[in-house]
Amino acid sequence: MSEADILLKVTGLHVRYGAATAVRGVDMHVRRGELVAVIGNNGAGKTSILRGISGLVRPSAGQVTFNGVETVSFAAHQKVRLGLAMIPEGRLIFADQTVEDNLILGAYIRWSRERPRIRTEFDEIFDLFPRLKERFHQRAGSLSGGEQQMLAIARGLLSRPALLMIDELSLGLAPKIVDQLMGLLRDLNAKGQTILLVEQLASHALAIAQRAYVVNHGHIELEGTSAELSGSPKVMETFLGKKRNVV
């Protein structure tokens, strides 16, 4: 693996909130074109890793290299301009704004110079999410939870990210919607979108990712291909709810 293949490289990442350490020396990477999952129990540090990468929290130590640029000191909006977009846990759409307004805000960094092109990209978004077209002029806060997650993904895609990071895709959603959105991520990745997915539903994440990291108490406990981790007795018992057969 050459350095040119690596889109995101995280080295020795530490994230603190006051006296509490949430992330302890995390090393990880994402290659161009990969879909990589980060799994772990609640409170393991998964979200804090994404916040440290995205610039929502300033790491207390470590390096975050994105597309060859050391970005650990960059603010979140600067990283978006470099091509790193994050869909946060809980979606955090602008509830009092329309679906149209939310989509425009997703393309904010491109809006002044690419407005006609972005308008045509709305049609691509509607191909992915027909419900958003139906609710284009509706207040985003009136959407269902699944529709809001669709809007959050669409908003992120309109920044044209080189890397799309998604925090807890399945949170609060019905199983049918989770399956639909997981399939969408798999299809986006097949078309070339690089994705880093934090997800508590380990079986769903491992089913669509090529590789994964298992986080526990703020550090990487296991890493490997999804097939390797799906077959790991520890992962099976802790995250997949399966017992290893004893012969």
Side-chain angles (χ1 to χ4, degrees), residues 55-82:
L56 291 175
V57 174
R58 177 72 178 267
S60 55
Q63 292 183 313
V64 178
T65 303
F66 179 70
N67 208 12
V69 178
E70 170 49 50
T71 65
V72 75
S73 63
F74 286 26
H77 70 277
Q78 294 174 303
K79 296 196 181 192
V80 173
R81 291 186 181 279
L82 288 178

Side-chain angles (χ1 to χ4, degrees), residues 86-237:
M86 178 175 169
I87 299 168
E89 179 181 358
R91 300 174 277 281
L92 299 186
I93 60 167
F94 297 96
D96 60 340
Q97 302 296 312
T98 65
V99 168
E100 178 184 16
D101 291 335
N102 273 266
L103 294 177
I104 290 172
L105 288 168
Y108 175 77
I109 61 171
R110 308 167 51 218
W111 187 250
S112 61
R113 67 182 186 279
E114 298 181 52
R115 187 176 304 185
R117 178 179 175 180
I118 292 167
R119 285 291 185 184
T120 65
E121 290 174 11
F122 282 2
D123 292 332
E124 299 173 17
I125 291 297
F126 297 148
D127 287 341
L128 294 174
F129 304 111
R131 298 294 291 273
L132 296 184
K133 184 175 184 179
E134 297 172 11
R135 295 177 174 30
F136 192 56
H137 299 294
Q138 194 170 318
R139 282 180 62 255
S142 68
L143 304 181
S144 69
E147 290 166 346
Q148 289 185 19
Q149 187 65 286
M150 294 174 192
L151 178 57
I153 295 171
R155 183 180 62 184
L157 289 172
L158 280 167
S159 70
R160 287 290 188 183
L163 174 62
L164 184 66
M165 302 198 305
I166 305 171
D167 192 7
E168 299 292 5
L169 177 80
S170 67
L171 185 68
L173 301 183
K176 182 178 179 180
I177 299 298
V178 173
D179 290 341
Q180 178 185 343
L181 293 178
M182 289 290 179
L184 172 76
L185 295 190
R186 182 176 54 234
D187 293 345
L188 286 172
N189 178 245
K191 294 176 182 177
Q193 178 66 60
T194 309
I195 298 172
L196 179 60
L197 172 66
V198 159
E199 180 56 58
Q200 190 175 359
L201 294 181
S203 60
H204 287 69
L206 293 175
I208 65 171
Q210 290 97 49
R211 291 189 305 113
Y213 295 89
V214 179
V215 180
N216 189 28
H217 297 300
H219 68 273
I220 303 297
E221 189 164 297
L222 294 169
E223 62 179 280
T225 67
S226 292
E228 290 169 345
L229 293 178
S230 294
S232 162
K234 186 170 186 178
V235 173
M236 290 175 68
E237 293 181 18

